[in-house]
Amino acid sequence: MSRLDADVVIAGGGLVGLTAALALASGAAGTPFKVIVVDALDPAKVVGVAYDGRNSSIAYASWRMFEALGIATRLEGREQPINDILVTDGKVREGASPMFLHFAAAEIADETGDAPLGHFVENRHLREALQGAVEACDAIELIAPMAVSGVAYEPGHVAVTLADGRVLTASLCVAADGRGSPVREAAGIKTIGWSYDQMGIVTTMVHDKPHEGVAQEYFLPGGPFAVLPMTGNRSSLVWTEKTDIAKAIMALDDAGFAAEAQNRFGTYLGHCAPEGPRWSYPLSLQLSRDYVRPRLALVGDAAHGIHPLAGQGYNLGMRDVAALADVLIEARKVGLDIGALTVLDRYQRWRRFDSTALAVMTDGLNRLFSNDIGPLRLARDLGLGLVNRFGPARRLFMRQAAGAVGELPSLMQGRGPDGKAA
């Protein structure tokens, strides 16, 4: 057939999709992949305050990837370093258990170069930074707003049909189109998972006292209550509750909502009040049975969706992207077809274990802590206290939280996608 339109077509231009485009287009042995991103949403709308009030926790290893791709500089002044993480257990109005788990960035400074454990960034700022980097990259074309209406997998290429009738051809299609991925569904890839009968409530809270860059994960019987530091005297509230209770909380006026939040916050940040809109969404676990098909690779939520209690959803997607970039770059270097199943299977083997292990861990933690059963409460409080006292175990958990364990792709080691130091 005639020359392909691109090396890779990415379905989905959200946080993971745009990161994937930049990773692939940043250069493979001096020759970047040509990438086309197709997204159903208007890029101008997704950076508005009303569209998405969530924030993303960018772990230490993921931030190194941002630095390697030139994204970190675009976020200067709009990111909040995470210096400490405090994990506690407790009850509403009764305060936290005396047992706790404390992670301090300074404790692993010899491994991280005195960097914070991570950074916290508003999603709207992330989208602006990613969009700006994509716009500045000649190897990437963004087509949006535009839906993908079909994908045909042919010998030697993939044909992606757009809603306006255009057909794009490439060696590989990457599905980054979310948990309900139409591309995954059309390819016949099944998923496994379940609902938690919980909802996540997200909003921004302003408070009197500074947070000092400390992220708090407070486990309550209804689910984790996370207070995550933002720039200024603001924190992102990620509040998990049973579905019926969450709906009642969402129905409260601002004063009632603030009172319920303060009952859980306590007074360590002084007076707290919500700022801006609130969002809520059902929580579930979802894992794809396969991450690849011939000429198709799944990344991000299209491949896996986990409980948000550890704040690792986007980081998991970034590890997908970095691993896929390594696999495709290496394949191109030795003259292999990047859409061949033999090439893509290495990506699947690399990523499926990590994703499944993290999904099982977050699922187990949610089930262990989201209850008020006396013996379990005692056991988990003792567990937190023991881990906090045992330095090697605590530092292992810290490295896990920083994303600095396991087989790290080049970008997460601070090297460019061609293997050279960034």
Side-chain angles (χ1 to χ4, degrees):
M1 63 175 294
S2 59
R3 189 175 177 218
L4 300 177
D5 296 308
D7 296 304
V8 180
V9 171
I10 299 176
L15 300 181
V16 172
L18 293 182
T19 306
L22 291 164
L24 293 172
S26 293
T31 306
F33 288 104
K34 182 180 179 183
V35 182
I36 298 176
V37 181
V38 183
D39 191 60
L41 299 175
D42 183 346
K45 290 184 178 179
V46 299
V47 296
V49 177
Y51 176 76
D52 185 359
R54 293 175 297 175
N55 293 251
S56 290
S57 176
I58 313 299
Y60 161 73
S62 298
W63 192 258
R64 284 199 297 189
M65 180 174 171
F66 271 7
E67 290 174 334
L69 294 175
I71 300 167
T73 56
R74 294 176 177 271
L75 290 169
E76 288 181 0
R78 298 192 290 180
E79 44 76 33
Q80 169 62 50
I82 301 172
N83 301 318
D84 299 80
I85 299 174
L86 188 63
V87 182
T88 54
D89 188 20
K91 294 184 179 181
V92 179
R93 297 183 180 88
E94 292 186 15
S97 162
M99 301 294 187
F100 60 87
L101 181 57
H102 178 216
F103 299 152
E107 191 172 352
I108 55 171
D110 57 332
E111 299 178 44
T112 62
D114 207 26
L117 292 170
H119 296 77
F120 209 62
V121 187
E122 294 178 59
N123 282 1
R124 61 193 179 100
H125 294 326
L126 271 179
R127 287 190 170 92
E128 287 176 345
L130 291 167
Q131 287 177 10
V134 163
E135 186 177 353
C137 182
D138 293 336
I140 303 174
E141 178 184 358
L142 175 62
I143 302 176
M146 181 62 63
V148 171
S149 62
V151 183
Y153 304 93
E154 307 289 351
H157 73 282
V158 63
V160 179
T161 302
L162 307 184
D164 64 1
R166 280 181 289 171
V167 178
L168 305 175
T169 57
S171 296
L172 175 68
C173 176
V174 173
D177 49 349
R179 286 200 185 202
S181 172
V183 172
R184 182 195 66 224
E185 295 295 318
I189 298 177
K190 304 298 184 182
T191 63
I192 58 173
W194 46 82
S195 169
Y196 287 114
D197 189 27
Q198 292 175 318
M199 294 185 71
I201 300 170
V202 178
T203 194
T204 296
M205 303 290 287
V206 293
H207 38 79
D208 296 335
K209 300 178 182 178
H211 47 59
E212 306 292 351
V214 178
Q216 300 258 4
E217 187 84 56
Y218 185 25
F219 284 100
L220 297 170
F225 183 88
V227 183
L228 307 169
M230 298 171 64
T231 54
N233 277 17
R234 300 183 303 151
S235 293
S236 175
L237 176 61
V238 183
W239 179 356
T240 302
E241 279 287 1
K242 299 295 184 183
T243 300
D244 56 344
I245 297 175
K247 289 180 178 179
I249 290 171
M250 286 296 292
L252 295 172
D253 60 19
D254 282 351
F257 183 90
E260 286 296 328
Q262 189 85 59
N263 286 335
R264 293 156 176 81
F265 259 81
T267 58
Y268 81 99
L269 289 176
H271 175 70
C272 302
E275 177 185 71
R278 308 172 212 157
W279 291 263
S280 65
Y281 50 96
L283 302 181
S284 63
L285 179 144
Q286 178 178 289
L287 293 171
S288 295
R289 292 184 180 273
D290 296 295
Y291 287 12
V292 299
R293 284 281 196 271
R295 309 214 168 272
L296 174 65
L298 310 183
V299 296
D301 284 354
H304 41 68
I306 64 173
H307 198 286
L309 66 87
Q312 290 297 311
Y314 181 39
N315 293 293
L316 202 57
M318 289 183 70
R319 291 202 289 276
D320 292 344
V321 166
L324 183 62
D326 272 6
V327 168
L328 298 187
I329 287 167
E330 186 61 34
R332 169 176 272 190
K333 284 180 182 178
V334 297
L336 297 178
D337 178 357
I338 65 169
L341 188 58
T342 50
V343 170
L344 298 175
D345 191 53
R346 184 189 166 214
Y347 162 71
Q348 176 168 260
R349 292 195 309 270
W350 191 348
R351 293 303 308 136
R352 186 154 59 180
F353 176 80
D354 177 42
S355 302
T356 302
L358 188 57
V360 169
M361 183 192 75
T362 54
D363 180 76
L365 286 173
N366 183 57
R367 294 177 188 277
L368 174 64
F369 282 91
S370 297
N371 63 75
D372 197 22
I373 301 171
L376 277 181
R377 176 178 291 279
L378 176 61
R380 67 201 186 209
D381 286 355
L382 289 173
L384 287 175
L386 287 172
V387 172
N388 193 62
R389 288 176 177 271
F390 186 53
R394 186 178 64 253
R395 286 188 286 275
L396 175 62
F397 278 107
M398 289 173 64
R399 289 192 292 270
Q400 181 71 51
V405 297
E407 183 184 0
L408 293 180
S410 300
L411 285 166
M412 291 191 161
Q413 296 178 41
R415 294 187 283 130
D418 59 359
K420 299 178 181 179

